């Protein structure tokens, strides 16, 4: 079955450490997205990529970085510069503008 | 910039009762509209989408939504809810900037 795999499901880190969240898709989708979800705030866009080797900042990119070296992979690094990194992170992909996003099951990051 | 408003953060309802979850968006230009459902600690699943054509859109699990251009609304309805419909529901709009903007979500709580 095609889909989006996010790993790990739960991640714990100490403050000051960088951490990388994995997102892999086998849907052959061109565009991939990272969202952050906090209670009562909906989903906020961190970064997105419409094609390999290209990506754009979303609304809350500060303290995050991404890469898109392969079509199927779009890892997100949460750096120590991110002031409040504890959140639920969702990766998504789509084939074209008229199609809905397909979501992974998320990674819950806790930084203490 | 486009924005999405879900006025009700929580909607409690008894099983087998009808429900309406409200969604309004800010722009009357051509948009694609979506409703997603999220169960605890999971990603988002597409319920239904409006791209063009008939203003009444039917989705999965017995849900439907009506696109009203003059009122810039896209309310989600179900004539008879089940306990299993308890979840968080997100309205989203994609406009010509290609970003998908989410509302803050409505938590539907179905009681026996």
């Amino acid at each position: 079955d095609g889909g989006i795999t996010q790993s790990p499901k739960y991640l714990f880190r100490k403050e000051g450490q960088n951490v990388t969240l994995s997102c892999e898709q086998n849907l052959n989708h061109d565009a991939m997205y990272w969202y952050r979800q906090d209670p009562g705030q909906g989903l906020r866009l961190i970064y997105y990529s419409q094609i390999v080797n290209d990506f754009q900042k979303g609304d809350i990119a500060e303290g995050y970085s991404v890469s898109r070296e392969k079509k199927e992979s779009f890892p997100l690094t949460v750096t120590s510069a991110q002031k409040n990194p504890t959140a639920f992170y969702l990766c998504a992909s789509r084939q074209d503008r008229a199609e809905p996003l397909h979501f992974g099951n998320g990674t819950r990051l806790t930084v203490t | 910039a486009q924005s999405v408003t879900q006025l009700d953060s929580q909607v409690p309802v008894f099983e087998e009762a009808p429900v309406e979850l409200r969604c309004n968006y800010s722009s009357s230009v051509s948009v694609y509209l979506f409703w997603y459902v999220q169960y605890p600690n999971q990603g988002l699943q597409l319920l239904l989408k409006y791209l063009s054509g008939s203003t009444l859109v039917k989705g999965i699990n017995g849900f439907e939504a009506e696109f009203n251009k003059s009122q810039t609304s896209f309310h989600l309805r179900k004539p008879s809810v089940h306990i299993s419909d308890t979840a968080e529901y997100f309205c989203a709009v994609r406009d010509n900037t290609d970003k998908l903007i989410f509302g803050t979500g409505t938590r539907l709580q179905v009681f026996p």
Side-chain angles (χ1 to χ4, degrees), chain B residues 81-97:
Chain B
V81 295
H82 301 136
I83 295 285
S84 60
D85 292 323
T86 294
E88 187 135 25
Y89 291 79
F90 291 94
C91 181
V93 59
R94 177 179 296 139
D95 61 15
N96 56 3
T97 68

Side-chain angles (χ1 to χ4, degrees), chain A residues 9 37 50 94 97 101, chain B residues 36 38 41 43 94-95 98:
Chain A
K9 190 167 179 63
Q37 185 177 18
Q50 294 179 304
R94 64 163 176 81
R97 290 191 70 246
L101 292 181
Chain B
Y36 287 86
Q38 184 181 35
N41 289 314
R94 177 179 296 139
D95 61 15
D98 205 33

Side-chain angles (χ1 to χ4, degrees), chain B residues 2-23:
Chain B
Q2 184 68 261
S3 65
V4 178
T5 301
Q6 291 182 248
L7 284 170
D8 305 306
S9 60
Q10 295 187 60
V11 173
V13 63
F14 287 108
E15 196 173 19
E16 298 183 10
V19 71
E20 178 180 84
L21 306 183
R22 296 180 293 169
C23 173

Side-chain angles (χ1 to χ4, degrees), chain B residues 14-104:
Chain B
F14 287 108
E15 196 173 19
E16 298 183 10
V19 71
E20 178 180 84
L21 306 183
R22 296 180 293 169
C23 173
N24 288 86
Y25 59 96
S26 60
S27 173
S28 61
V29 299
S30 295
V31 295
Y32 299 145
L33 295 156
F34 307 87
W35 274 99
Y36 287 86
V37 60
Q38 184 181 35
Y39 300 101
N41 289 314
Q42 292 189 24
L44 276 67
Q45 300 174 27
L46 181 70
L47 275 178
L48 48 81
K49 62 182 179 182
Y50 173 80
L51 305 180
S52 64
S54 173
T55 57
L56 184 61
V57 180
K58 293 192 182 297
I60 63 171
N61 301 341
F63 284 94
E64 61 182 34
E66 185 154 19
F67 170 61
N68 188 319
K69 188 174 181 180
S70 62
Q71 296 185 11
T72 60
S73 68
F74 191 54
H75 301 332
L76 181 71
R77 301 186 184 103
K78 186 169 183 178
S80 176
V81 295
H82 301 136
I83 295 285
S84 60
D85 292 323
T86 294
E88 187 135 25
Y89 291 79
F90 291 94
C91 181
V93 59
R94 177 179 296 139
D95 61 15
N96 56 3
T97 68
D98 205 33
K99 289 183 183 178
L100 191 61
I101 309 299
F102 286 87
T104 51

